Coordinates of all heavy atoms in Angstrom, one line a residue:
M43 N 4.2 2.2 -14.3 CA 4.7 1.3 -13.3 C 3.5 0.5 -12.8 O 2.5 1.0 -12.4 CB 5.3 2.1 -12.1 CG 6.0 1.3 -11.1 SD 7.5 0.5 -11.8 CE 8.3 1.9 -12.5
S44 N 3.7 -0.8 -12.8 CA 2.6 -1.7 -12.5 C 2.8 -2.4 -11.2 O 4.0 -2.5 -10.7 CB 2.4 -2.8 -13.6 OG 3.5 -3.6 -13.6
T45 N 1.7 -2.9 -10.6 CA 1.9 -3.6 -9.3 C 2.7 -4.9 -9.5 O 3.4 -5.3 -8.6 CB 0.5 -3.9 -8.7 OG1 -0.3 -4.6 -9.7 CG2 -0.2 -2.7 -8.3
S46 N 2.6 -5.5 -10.7 CA 3.3 -6.7 -10.9 C 4.8 -6.5 -11.0 O 5.6 -7.3 -10.5 CB 2.8 -7.4 -12.2 OG 3.0 -6.6 -13.3
Y47 N 5.2 -5.3 -11.5 CA 6.6 -5.0 -11.5 C 7.2 -4.8 -10.1 O 8.2 -5.3 -9.7 CB 6.9 -3.7 -12.3 CG 8.3 -3.2 -12.2 CD1 9.3 -3.7 -13.0 CD2 8.7 -2.3 -11.2 CE1 10.6 -3.2 -12.9 CE2 10.0 -1.8 -11.0 CZ 10.9 -2.3 -11.9 OH 12.2 -1.9 -11.7
L48 N 6.4 -4.0 -9.3 CA 6.8 -3.8 -7.9 C 6.8 -5.1 -7.1 O 7.6 -5.3 -6.2 CB 5.9 -2.8 -7.2 CG 6.0 -1.4 -7.8 CD1 5.0 -0.5 -7.2 CD2 7.4 -0.8 -7.5
W49 N 5.9 -6.0 -7.5 CA 5.8 -7.3 -6.8 C 7.1 -8.1 -7.1 O 7.6 -8.7 -6.2 CB 4.6 -8.0 -7.3 CG 4.4 -9.4 -6.8 CD1 3.9 -9.7 -5.5 CD2 4.7 -10.6 -7.4 NE1 3.9 -11.1 -5.4 CE2 4.4 -11.7 -6.5 CE3 5.2 -11.0 -8.7 CZ2 4.5 -13.0 -6.8 CZ3 5.3 -12.3 -9.0 CH2 5.0 -13.3 -8.1
Q50 N 7.5 -8.0 -8.3 CA 8.8 -8.7 -8.7 C 10.0 -8.1 -8.0 O 10.9 -8.8 -7.6 CB 9.0 -8.7 -10.2 CG 8.0 -9.6 -10.9 CD 8.2 -9.6 -12.4 OE1 9.1 -9.0 -12.9 NE2 7.3 -10.3 -13.1
R51 N 10.0 -6.8 -7.8 CA 11.1 -6.1 -7.3 C 11.2 -6.2 -5.7 O 12.2 -6.5 -5.2 CB 11.0 -4.6 -7.6 CG 12.2 -3.8 -7.2 CD 12.0 -2.3 -7.3 NE 11.1 -1.8 -6.3 CZ 10.7 -0.5 -6.1 NH1 11.2 0.4 -7.0 NH2 9.9 -0.1 -5.2
D52 N 10.0 -6.1 -5.1 CA 9.9 -6.0 -3.6 C 9.4 -7.2 -3.0 O 9.4 -7.3 -1.7 CB 9.1 -4.8 -3.2 CG 9.6 -3.5 -3.7 OD1 10.8 -3.4 -4.0 OD2 8.9 -2.5 -3.7
G53 N 8.8 -8.2 -3.7 CA 8.1 -9.3 -3.1 C 6.7 -8.9 -2.8 O 6.3 -7.8 -2.9
N54 N 6.0 -9.9 -2.4 CA 4.5 -9.7 -2.2 C 4.2 -9.2 -0.8 O 3.4 -9.8 0.0 CB 3.7 -11.0 -2.5 CG 4.1 -12.1 -1.5 OD1 5.2 -12.1 -0.9 ND2 3.1 -13.0 -1.2
Q55 N 4.9 -8.1 -0.4 CA 4.7 -7.6 0.9 C 4.3 -6.1 0.9 O 4.9 -5.3 0.2 CB 6.0 -7.7 1.7 CG 5.8 -7.5 3.2 CD 7.1 -7.8 4.0 OE1 8.2 -7.5 3.5 NE2 6.9 -8.4 5.2
C56 N 3.3 -5.8 1.6 CA 2.8 -4.4 1.8 C 3.9 -3.6 2.5 O 4.3 -4.0 3.6 CB 1.5 -4.3 2.5 SG 0.9 -2.7 2.9
R57 N 4.3 -2.5 2.0 CA 5.4 -1.7 2.6 C 4.8 -0.8 3.7 O 5.6 -0.1 4.3 CB 6.1 -0.8 1.5 CG 6.8 -1.7 0.5 CD 8.0 -2.4 1.1 NE 8.3 -3.6 0.3 CZ 9.4 -4.4 0.6 NH1 10.2 -4.1 1.6 NH2 9.6 -5.5 -0.1
I58 N 3.5 -0.8 3.9 CA 2.9 0.1 4.9 C 2.6 -0.8 6.2 O 2.9 -0.4 7.3 CB 1.7 0.8 4.4 CG1 2.0 1.7 3.3 CG2 1.0 1.5 5.6 CD1 0.9 2.4 2.6
C59 N 2.1 -2.0 6.0 CA 1.7 -2.8 7.1 C 2.6 -4.1 7.2 O 2.5 -4.8 8.2 CB 0.3 -3.2 7.1 SG -0.1 -4.5 5.9
D60 N 3.5 -4.3 6.3 CA 4.5 -5.4 6.3 C 3.8 -6.8 6.2 O 4.4 -7.8 6.6 CB 5.4 -5.3 7.5 CG 6.3 -4.2 7.4 OD1 6.7 -3.7 6.3 OD2 6.8 -3.7 8.5
Q61 N 2.6 -6.8 5.8 CA 1.9 -8.1 5.6 C 1.8 -8.4 4.1 O 1.9 -7.6 3.3 CB 0.5 -8.1 6.3 CG 0.7 -7.8 7.8 CD -0.6 -8.1 8.6 OE1 -1.2 -9.1 8.4 NE2 -1.0 -7.2 9.5
S62 N 1.6 -9.7 3.9 CA 1.6 -10.2 2.5 C 0.4 -9.7 1.7 O -0.6 -9.4 2.3 CB 1.7 -11.7 2.4 OG 0.6 -12.3 3.0
I63 N 0.6 -9.6 0.4 CA -0.4 -9.2 -0.5 C -0.8 -10.3 -1.4 O 0.1 -10.9 -2.0 CB 0.0 -7.9 -1.3 CG1 0.3 -6.7 -0.4 CG2 -1.1 -7.6 -2.4 CD1 0.8 -5.5 -1.1
D64 N -2.0 -10.6 -1.5 CA -2.5 -11.6 -2.4 C -2.7 -11.0 -3.8 O -3.6 -10.2 -4.0 CB -3.8 -12.3 -1.9 CG -4.3 -13.4 -2.8 OD1 -3.7 -13.6 -3.9 OD2 -5.2 -14.1 -2.3
M65 N -1.8 -11.3 -4.7 CA -1.8 -10.7 -6.0 C -3.0 -11.1 -6.9 O -3.2 -10.6 -8.0 CB -0.5 -10.9 -6.8 CG 0.7 -10.3 -6.1 SD 0.6 -8.5 -6.0 CE 0.9 -8.0 -7.7
M66 N -3.7 -12.1 -6.4 CA -4.9 -12.6 -7.1 C -6.1 -11.8 -6.8 O -7.1 -11.9 -7.6 CB -5.2 -14.1 -6.8 CG -4.0 -15.0 -7.1 SD -3.6 -15.0 -8.8 CE -5.0 -15.8 -9.5
L67 N -6.1 -11.0 -5.8 CA -7.2 -10.2 -5.5 C -7.4 -9.0 -6.5 O -6.4 -8.5 -7.0 CB -7.1 -9.6 -4.1 CG -7.0 -10.6 -2.9 CD1 -6.8 -9.8 -1.6 CD2 -8.3 -11.4 -2.8
T68 N -8.6 -8.8 -6.8 CA -8.9 -7.7 -7.8 C -10.1 -6.8 -7.2 O -10.6 -7.1 -6.2 CB -9.4 -8.3 -9.1 OG1 -10.5 -9.2 -8.9 CG2 -8.3 -9.2 -9.7
Y69 N -10.4 -5.8 -8.0 CA -11.5 -4.9 -7.7 C -12.7 -5.7 -7.4 O -13.0 -6.7 -8.1 CB -11.8 -4.0 -8.9 CG -12.9 -3.1 -8.7 CD1 -12.7 -1.8 -8.1 CD2 -14.2 -3.4 -9.1 CE1 -13.8 -1.0 -7.9 CE2 -15.3 -2.6 -8.9 CZ -15.1 -1.4 -8.3 OH -16.1 -0.5 -8.1
P70 N -13.5 -5.4 -6.3 CA -13.4 -4.2 -5.4 C -12.7 -4.6 -4.1 O -13.0 -3.9 -3.1 CB -14.8 -3.9 -5.2 CG -15.5 -5.2 -5.1 CD -14.8 -6.1 -6.1
D71 N -11.9 -5.6 -4.1 CA -11.3 -6.0 -2.8 C -10.3 -5.0 -2.3 O -9.4 -4.6 -3.0 CB -10.6 -7.4 -3.0 CG -10.3 -8.0 -1.6 OD1 -9.7 -7.4 -0.7 OD2 -10.7 -9.2 -1.5
M72 N -10.5 -4.5 -1.1 CA -9.6 -3.4 -0.5 C -8.2 -3.9 -0.2 O -7.3 -3.1 0.1 CB -10.3 -2.8 0.7 CG -11.5 -2.0 0.4 SD -11.2 -0.6 -0.7 CE -10.3 0.5 0.4
M73 N -8.0 -5.2 -0.2 CA -6.7 -5.8 0.2 C -5.9 -6.1 -1.1 O -4.8 -6.7 -1.0 CB -6.9 -7.0 1.0 CG -7.6 -6.8 2.4 SD -6.8 -5.5 3.4 CE -5.4 -6.4 4.0
R74 N -6.4 -5.7 -2.2 CA -5.6 -5.9 -3.4 C -4.4 -5.0 -3.5 O -4.3 -4.0 -2.8 CB -6.5 -5.8 -4.7 CG -6.9 -4.3 -5.0 CD -7.9 -4.3 -6.2 NE -8.2 -3.0 -6.6 CZ -9.2 -2.2 -6.2 NH1 -9.9 -2.7 -5.1 NH2 -9.4 -1.1 -6.7
A75 N -3.5 -5.3 -4.4 CA -2.2 -4.6 -4.5 C -2.5 -3.2 -5.1 O -3.4 -3.1 -6.0 CB -1.2 -5.3 -5.3
S76 N -1.8 -2.2 -4.7 CA -1.8 -0.9 -5.3 C -0.4 -0.3 -5.3 O 0.5 -0.8 -4.6 CB -2.8 0.0 -4.6 OG -2.2 0.4 -3.3
V77 N -0.2 0.7 -6.1 CA 1.1 1.4 -6.2 C 1.0 2.6 -5.3 O 0.2 3.5 -5.5 CB 1.4 1.8 -7.6 CG1 2.7 2.6 -7.7 CG2 1.5 0.6 -8.5
D78 N 1.9 2.6 -4.3 CA 1.9 3.8 -3.3 C 3.1 4.7 -3.6 O 4.2 4.2 -3.9 CB 2.0 3.2 -1.9 CG 2.1 4.4 -0.9 OD1 1.3 5.3 -1.0 OD2 3.0 4.3 0.0
H79 N 2.9 6.0 -3.6 CA 4.0 6.9 -3.7 C 4.6 7.2 -2.3 O 3.9 7.6 -1.4 CB 3.4 8.3 -4.2 CG 3.1 8.2 -5.7 ND1 1.9 7.7 -6.1 CD2 3.7 8.6 -6.8 CE1 1.8 7.7 -7.4 NE2 2.9 8.3 -7.9
I80 N 5.8 6.9 -2.1 CA 6.5 7.0 -0.8 C 6.4 8.5 -0.4 O 6.0 8.8 0.7 CB 8.0 6.5 -0.9 CG1 8.0 5.0 -1.3 CG2 8.7 6.8 0.4 CD1 9.4 4.5 -1.6
L81 N 6.9 9.4 -1.3 CA 6.6 10.8 -1.1 C 5.4 11.1 -1.9 O 5.5 11.0 -3.2 CB 7.8 11.7 -1.5 CG 7.6 13.2 -1.4 CD1 7.3 13.6 0.0 CD2 8.8 13.9 -2.0
P82 N 4.3 11.5 -1.3 CA 3.0 11.6 -2.1 C 3.2 12.5 -3.3 O 3.9 13.6 -3.2 CB 2.1 12.2 -1.0 CG 2.6 11.7 0.3 CD 4.1 11.7 0.1
Y83 N 2.5 12.2 -4.3 CA 2.6 12.9 -5.6 C 2.1 14.4 -5.4 O 2.7 15.3 -5.9 CB 1.7 12.2 -6.6 CG 1.7 12.9 -8.0 CD1 2.9 12.9 -8.8 CD2 0.6 13.6 -8.5 CE1 2.9 13.5 -10.0 CE2 0.6 14.2 -9.7 CZ 1.8 14.2 -10.5 OH 1.8 14.8 -11.7
S84 N 1.1 14.5 -4.5 CA 0.6 15.9 -4.3 C 1.6 16.7 -3.5 O 1.4 17.9 -3.4 CB -0.7 15.8 -3.5 OG -0.6 15.1 -2.3
L85 N 2.6 16.1 -2.9 CA 3.6 16.8 -2.1 C 4.9 16.9 -2.9 O 5.9 17.2 -2.3 CB 3.8 16.2 -0.8 CG 2.6 16.1 0.2 CD1 3.0 15.4 1.5 CD2 2.1 17.5 0.5
G86 N 4.8 16.6 -4.2 CA 6.0 16.8 -5.0 C 6.7 15.5 -5.3 O 7.8 15.5 -6.0
G87 N 6.2 14.4 -4.9 CA 6.8 13.1 -5.2 C 6.6 12.8 -6.7 O 5.7 13.3 -7.4
T88 N 7.5 12.0 -7.2 CA 7.5 11.7 -8.7 C 6.9 10.3 -8.9 O 6.7 9.5 -8.0 CB 8.9 11.7 -9.3 OG1 9.6 10.6 -8.8 CG2 9.6 13.0 -8.9
H89 N 6.7 10.0 -10.2 CA 6.3 8.6 -10.5 C 7.5 7.7 -10.8 O 7.3 6.6 -11.3 CB 5.4 8.7 -11.8 CG 4.1 9.4 -11.6 ND1 3.2 9.1 -10.6 CD2 3.5 10.5 -12.2 CE1 2.1 9.9 -10.6 NE2 2.3 10.7 -11.6
H90 N 8.7 8.2 -10.5 CA 9.8 7.3 -10.7 C 9.8 6.1 -9.8 O 9.3 6.2 -8.6 CB 11.1 8.1 -10.5 CG 12.4 7.4 -10.8 ND1 13.1 6.6 -10.0 CD2 13.0 7.3 -12.0 CE1 14.1 6.0 -10.6 NE2 14.1 6.5 -11.8
E91 N 10.3 5.0 -10.2 CA 10.2 3.8 -9.4 C 10.9 3.9 -8.1 O 10.5 3.2 -7.2 CB 10.7 2.6 -10.2 CG 12.2 2.6 -10.5 CD 12.7 1.3 -11.1 OE1 13.1 0.4 -10.4 OE2 12.8 1.3 -12.4
S92 N 11.8 4.8 -7.9 CA 12.5 4.9 -6.6 C 11.5 5.5 -5.6 O 11.8 5.5 -4.4 CB 13.7 5.8 -6.8 OG 13.3 7.1 -7.2
N93 N 10.4 6.1 -6.1 CA 9.5 6.7 -5.2 C 8.2 5.9 -5.0 O 7.2 6.3 -4.4 CB 9.1 8.1 -5.7 CG 8.2 8.9 -4.6 OD1 8.6 8.9 -3.4 ND2 7.1 9.5 -5.1
L94 N 8.2 4.7 -5.6 CA 7.0 3.8 -5.6 C 7.3 2.6 -4.8 O 8.4 2.1 -4.7 CB 6.7 3.4 -7.0 CG 6.4 4.6 -8.0 CD1 6.1 4.1 -9.4 CD2 5.2 5.4 -7.5
Q95 N 6.2 2.1 -4.1 CA 6.3 0.9 -3.4 C 5.0 0.2 -3.5 O 3.9 0.8 -3.8 CB 6.7 1.2 -1.9 CG 5.6 2.0 -1.2 CD 6.1 2.4 0.2 OE1 7.1 2.0 0.7 NE2 5.3 3.2 0.9
L96 N 5.0 -1.1 -3.1 CA 3.8 -1.9 -3.2 C 3.0 -1.8 -1.9 O 3.7 -1.8 -0.8 CB 4.2 -3.4 -3.5 CG 3.1 -4.3 -4.0 CD1 2.6 -3.8 -5.4 CD2 3.6 -5.7 -4.1
A97 N 1.7 -1.6 -1.9 CA 0.9 -1.6 -0.7 C -0.5 -2.0 -1.0 O -1.0 -2.0 -2.1 CB 0.9 -0.1 -0.2
H98 N -1.1 -2.6 0.1 CA -2.5 -2.8 0.0 C -3.3 -1.5 -0.4 O -2.9 -0.5 0.1 CB -3.1 -3.3 1.3 CG -2.6 -4.6 1.8 ND1 -1.8 -4.7 2.9 CD2 -2.7 -5.9 1.3 CE1 -1.5 -6.0 3.1 NE2 -2.0 -6.7 2.1
L99 N -4.3 -1.7 -1.2 CA -5.1 -0.5 -1.5 C -5.6 0.1 -0.2 O -5.6 1.4 0.0 CB -6.3 -0.8 -2.4 CG -7.2 0.3 -2.7 CD1 -6.4 1.5 -3.4 CD2 -8.3 -0.1 -3.6
R100 N -6.1 -0.7 0.8 CA -6.6 -0.3 2.0 C -5.5 0.6 2.8 O -5.8 1.7 3.2 CB -7.0 -1.5 2.9 CG -7.4 -1.1 4.3 CD -7.2 -2.2 5.3 NE -5.8 -2.4 5.5 CZ -5.3 -3.0 6.6 NH1 -6.1 -3.4 7.6 NH2 -4.0 -3.2 6.8
C101 N -4.3 0.1 2.8 CA -3.3 0.8 3.5 C -2.9 2.1 2.8 O -2.6 3.1 3.5 CB -2.0 -0.1 3.7 SG -2.3 -1.6 4.6
N102 N -2.9 2.0 1.5 CA -2.6 3.2 0.7 C -3.6 4.3 1.0 O -3.2 5.5 1.2 CB -2.7 2.8 -0.8 CG -1.9 3.8 -1.7 OD1 -1.6 4.9 -1.3 ND2 -1.7 3.3 -2.9
L103 N -4.9 4.0 1.1 CA -5.9 5.0 1.4 C -5.8 5.5 2.8 O -6.1 6.7 3.1 CB -7.3 4.3 1.1 CG -7.6 4.0 -0.3 CD1 -8.9 3.3 -0.5 CD2 -7.6 5.3 -1.2
I104 N -5.5 4.6 3.7 CA -5.3 5.1 5.1 C -4.1 6.0 5.3 O -4.2 7.0 6.0 CB -5.2 3.9 6.1 CG1 -6.5 3.0 6.1 CG2 -4.8 4.3 7.5 CD1 -6.3 1.7 6.8
K105 N -3.1 5.7 4.6 CA -1.9 6.5 4.6 C -2.1 8.0 4.1 O -1.6 8.9 4.7 CB -0.8 5.9 3.8 CG 0.5 6.7 3.7 CD 1.4 6.2 2.6 CE 2.6 7.1 2.3 NZ 3.3 6.8 1.1
Q106 N -2.9 8.1 3.1 CA -3.2 9.4 2.5 C -1.9 10.1 2.1 O -1.1 9.6 1.4 CB -4.2 10.2 3.4 CG -5.5 9.5 3.6 CD -6.4 10.3 4.5 OE1 -6.0 11.0 5.4 NE2 -7.7 10.2 4.2
K107 N -1.8 11.3 2.7 CA -0.6 12.1 2.3 C 0.5 12.1 3.3 O 1.5 12.8 3.3 CB -1.0 13.6 2.1 CG -1.9 13.8 0.9 CD -2.3 15.2 0.8 CE -3.3 15.4 -0.4 NZ -3.8 16.8 -0.5
R108 N 0.4 11.1 4.3 CA 1.4 11.1 5.3 C 2.7 10.4 4.8 O 2.7 9.5 3.9 CB 0.9 10.3 6.5 CG -0.1 11.1 7.3 CD -0.8 10.2 8.3 NE -1.8 9.4 7.7 CZ -2.9 8.9 8.4 NH1 -3.0 9.2 9.6 NH2 -3.8 8.1 7.8
I109 N 3.8 10.9 5.2 CA 5.1 10.4 4.8 C 5.7 9.5 5.8 O 5.7 9.8 7.0 CB 6.1 11.6 4.6 CG1 5.5 12.6 3.5 CG2 7.5 11.1 4.2 CD1 6.3 13.9 3.4
G110 N 6.1 8.3 5.3 CA 6.7 7.3 6.2 C 5.7 6.7 7.1 O 6.1 6.1 8.1
F111 N 4.4 6.7 6.8 CA 3.4 6.2 7.6 C 3.4 4.6 7.6 O 3.6 4.0 6.5 CB 2.0 6.6 7.1 CG 0.8 6.1 7.8 CD1 0.6 6.5 9.1 CD2 0.0 5.1 7.3 CE1 -0.5 6.0 9.8 CE2 -1.1 4.6 8.0 CZ -1.3 5.1 9.2
K112 N 3.4 4.0 8.8 CA 3.4 2.6 8.9 C 2.2 2.2 9.8 O 1.9 2.8 10.8 CB 4.7 2.1 9.5 CG 5.9 2.4 8.7 CD 6.1 1.5 7.5 CE 6.6 0.1 7.9 NZ 6.9 -0.8 6.8
I113 N 1.6 1.0 9.4 CA 0.6 0.4 10.3 C 1.3 -0.7 11.1 O 1.9 -1.6 10.5 CB -0.5 -0.1 9.5 CG1 -1.3 1.0 8.8 CG2 -1.5 -0.9 10.4 CD1 -2.3 0.5 7.8
P114 N 1.3 -0.6 12.4 CA 2.0 -1.6 13.2 C 1.6 -3.0 12.9 O 0.4 -3.3 12.7 CB 1.7 -1.2 14.6 CG 1.3 0.2 14.6 CD 0.7 0.4 13.2
N115 N 2.5 -3.9 12.7 CA 2.2 -5.3 12.4 C 1.9 -6.1 13.7 O 2.7 -6.8 14.2 CB 3.4 -5.9 11.7 CG 3.0 -7.3 11.2 OD1 1.9 -7.8 11.3 ND2 4.0 -8.0 10.6
A116 N 0.7 -5.8 14.3 CA 0.3 -6.4 15.5 C -0.3 -7.8 15.3 O -0.5 -8.2 14.1 CB -0.6 -5.5 16.3
H117 N -0.7 -8.4 16.3 CA -1.4 -9.7 16.2 C -2.7 -9.5 15.5 O -3.2 -10.4 14.7 CB -1.5 -10.4 17.5 CG -0.2 -10.9 18.1 ND1 0.5 -11.9 17.5 CD2 0.5 -10.5 19.1 CE1 1.6 -12.1 18.2 NE2 1.7 -11.2 19.2
N118 N -3.4 -8.4 15.8 CA -4.6 -8.1 15.1 C -4.2 -7.4 13.8 O -3.7 -6.3 13.9 CB -5.5 -7.2 16.0 CG -6.7 -6.8 15.3 OD1 -7.0 -7.1 14.2 ND2 -7.6 -6.0 16.0
P119 N -4.5 -8.0 12.7 CA -4.0 -7.4 11.4 C -4.7 -6.2 11.0 O -4.3 -5.4 10.2 CB -4.2 -8.6 10.4 CG -5.3 -9.4 11.0 CD -5.1 -9.3 12.5
R120 N -5.9 -5.9 11.6 CA -6.6 -4.7 11.3 C -7.0 -4.0 12.5 O -8.2 -3.9 12.9 CB -7.9 -5.1 10.5 CG -7.6 -5.9 9.2 CD -8.8 -6.1 8.4 NE -8.5 -7.0 7.2 CZ -9.4 -7.2 6.3 NH1 -10.6 -6.7 6.3 NH2 -9.1 -8.0 5.3
P121 N -6.1 -3.4 13.3 CA -6.4 -2.8 14.5 C -7.2 -1.5 14.4 O -6.7 -0.4 14.0 CB -5.0 -2.5 15.1 CG -4.1 -2.4 13.9 CD -4.7 -3.3 12.9
G122 N -8.5 -1.7 14.6 CA -9.4 -0.5 14.7 C -9.6 0.2 13.3 O -9.9 1.3 13.3
L123 N -9.3 -0.5 12.3 CA -9.4 0.2 11.0 C -10.6 -0.2 10.2 O -11.0 0.6 9.3 CB -8.2 -0.3 10.1 CG -6.8 0.2 10.7 CD1 -5.7 -0.4 9.9 CD2 -6.7 1.7 10.8
D124 N -11.3 -1.3 10.5 CA -12.5 -1.6 9.8 C -13.6 -0.6 10.0 O -13.9 -0.3 11.1 CB -13.0 -3.0 10.2 CG -12.0 -4.1 9.7 OD1 -11.5 -3.9 8.6 OD2 -11.9 -5.2 10.3
G125 N -14.1 -0.1 9.0 CA -15.2 0.9 9.1 C -14.7 2.2 9.5 O -15.5 3.1 9.8
G126 N -13.4 2.5 9.6 CA -12.9 3.7 10.2 C -13.1 4.9 9.3 O -12.9 6.0 9.7
F127 N -13.4 4.7 8.0 CA -13.6 5.8 7.1 C -14.8 6.6 7.4 O -14.9 7.8 7.0 CB -13.6 5.3 5.7 CG -12.4 4.6 5.2 CD1 -12.3 3.2 5.0 CD2 -11.2 5.3 5.0 CE1 -11.1 2.6 4.6 CE2 -10.1 4.7 4.6 CZ -10.0 3.4 4.4
A128 N -15.7 6.1 8.1 CA -17.0 6.8 8.3 C -16.9 7.8 9.5 O -17.7 8.6 9.6 CB -18.1 5.8 8.6
T129 N -15.9 7.7 10.3 CA -15.8 8.5 11.5 C -15.0 9.8 11.2 O -14.2 9.8 10.4 CB -15.2 7.7 12.7 OG1 -14.0 7.3 12.3 CG2 -16.1 6.6 13.1
Ligands
ZN253 ZN1 -0.9 -3.3 3.9

């Protein structure tokens, strides 16, 4: 399952933060597209497309193993998340 397939299916929108994804972004940009498991693979989720959604890599990493995790779509697109991995 590729990000381009999910992009065609779901549109260029991150399913975690509901903001658009620039499909031109590539490694190492953290805002590039990634494939997210709705039910995390480590919790028994499958690789079937019904369990996959498009998300920013950043959002995917913040979500980790949480189910149904959403980042509020506030005016500040990155509320307190920048550099948050170090704390
Ligand atoms: Zn996102």
Side-chain angles (χ1 to χ4, degrees):
M43 192 60 56
S44 68
T45 54
S46 60
Y47 172 86
L48 293 172
W49 178 77
Q50 290 181 3
R51 187 191 72 179
D52 296 342
N54 66 331
Q55 193 173 37
C56 173
R57 296 293 155 174
I58 297 175
C59 75
D60 291 333
Q61 299 195 46
S62 63
I63 297 175
D64 185 347
M65 296 299 288
M66 300 301 289
L67 296 176
T68 58
Y69 178 87
D71 198 309
M72 292 297 288
M73 298 305 282
R74 70 184 187 274
S76 69
V77 177
D78 176 46
H79 289 78
I80 297 169
L81 177 62
Y83 183 68
S84 60
L85 298 179
T88 70
H89 293 307
H90 189 269
E91 66 175 272
S92 65
N93 190 46
L94 301 176
Q95 63 184 355
L96 199 63
H98 296 115
L99 178 60
R100 176 204 69 155
C101 296
N102 200 344
L103 292 175
I104 293 169
K105 176 192 169 190
Q106 297 180 328
K107 294 179 182 177
R108 288 170 281 204
I109 299 169
F111 178 72
K112 298 283 283 186
I113 295 173
N115 187 4
H117 291 294
N118 178 0
R120 302 184 185 189
L123 297 174
D124 286 331
F127 295 109
T129 57

